[in-house]
Amino acid sequence: MVVASFDFIYEIETPEPLNMKNGIYRGSSTYSMGSLGSDLDIGDELLAIRDTSLTIDFELKVNHLFALEFPPGSETAILQPLGGWSQWTDYKKVPATLRKDQHFTVSGSTNFSVNLNCEYLMPDGRCGISNGVSTVPLDVAITMPGFLGRADLGFAEALNYPLTQSFTHVPRFSPKDGATFQRRSYLRFEVNGDPIKEMVTHPGTQYKGRVTVIFDADM
């Protein structure tokens, strides 16, 4: 009897893929072949075999998902008072907040960080907006339900999580349940309190500034 070839099915147990870093994982396993007592027992009547061992090489690829989707027009955020400008135009009541929420969706099965790069950088790390004469601080926060944020020693779900420009304390985020898909999220840009009182003393001018939000995944 001549056995020209044979097929087999195997099951491999790996560490939890969601806890593994991206990359190609390689390994091999060798099995003895022959008669009784071999890993692969071909039969007790076997008299001769060309190869007495079989080495199987494995190559497994882990490629985590990380994707962001922003709707068209998200590159511009126009700050407005809550409820509109009527309180200011009609009664000269200074708004308490100027705000814009920019929505997006995020999918991820890996850790990532979020940092800012500011055209106008305030001393406390916040970005600023300027009319060329005065510069006021801009509060930037991110909300991503289903993701845990970490900065320094604390963990918290990413709900209105403050962002600043930093080189040493960049907040990192992890999927709460290992992987999260198409989660509706938003970036909040706002000016609060006294800085608005400063802004309204410069009528006819435009406060603006560039804020780059940097998502850096551990790919």
Side-chain angles (χ1 to χ4, degrees), residues 78-99 191 196-197 199-203 205 207:
I78 300 176
L79 307 185
Q80 301 279 357
L82 302 179
W85 285 101
S86 61
Q87 290 293 311
W88 169 251
T89 57
D90 296 343
Y91 306 106
K92 298 302 180 182
K93 182 178 180 180
V94 178
T97 299
L98 302 177
R99 178 184 296 173
V191 178
I196 302 176
K197 297 178 181 178
M199 297 172 71
V200 298
T201 63
H202 299 276
T205 65
Y207 281 81

Side-chain angles (χ1 to χ4, degrees), residues 42-166:
I42 300 176
D44 295 342
E45 301 300 324
L46 182 70
L47 299 178
I49 186 170
R50 180 182 300 174
D51 297 316
T52 58
S53 66
L54 171 67
T55 298
I56 303 175
D57 295 318
F58 299 94
E59 183 175 290
L60 307 174
K61 185 176 182 180
V62 175
N63 187 15
H64 286 290
L65 168 71
F66 183 73
L68 298 168
E69 295 182 15
F70 283 85
S74 297
E75 67 277 3
T76 301
I78 300 176
L79 307 185
Q80 301 279 357
L82 302 179
W85 285 101
S86 61
Q87 290 293 311
W88 169 251
T89 57
D90 296 343
Y91 306 106
K92 298 302 180 182
K93 182 178 180 180
V94 178
T97 299
L98 302 177
R99 178 184 296 173
K100 176 62 178 179
D101 290 343
Q102 296 290 52
H103 292 268
F104 65 96
T105 61
V106 57
S107 301
S109 60
T110 185
N111 299 332
F112 61 95
S113 63
V114 183
N115 202 357
L116 300 182
N117 183 272
C118 308
E119 179 180 6
Y120 303 105
L121 180 61
M122 308 301 290
D124 60 3
R126 288 184 292 174
C127 293
I129 54 176
S130 176
N131 67 350
V133 177
S134 71
T135 301
V136 297
L138 177 71
D139 294 316
V140 182
I142 191 168
T143 292
M144 296 182 294
F147 288 89
L148 295 177
R150 181 174 76 249
D152 299 330
L153 301 178
F155 283 87
E157 190 167 8
L159 303 176
N160 205 31
Y161 202 100
L163 300 175
T164 59
Q165 178 175 316
S166 176

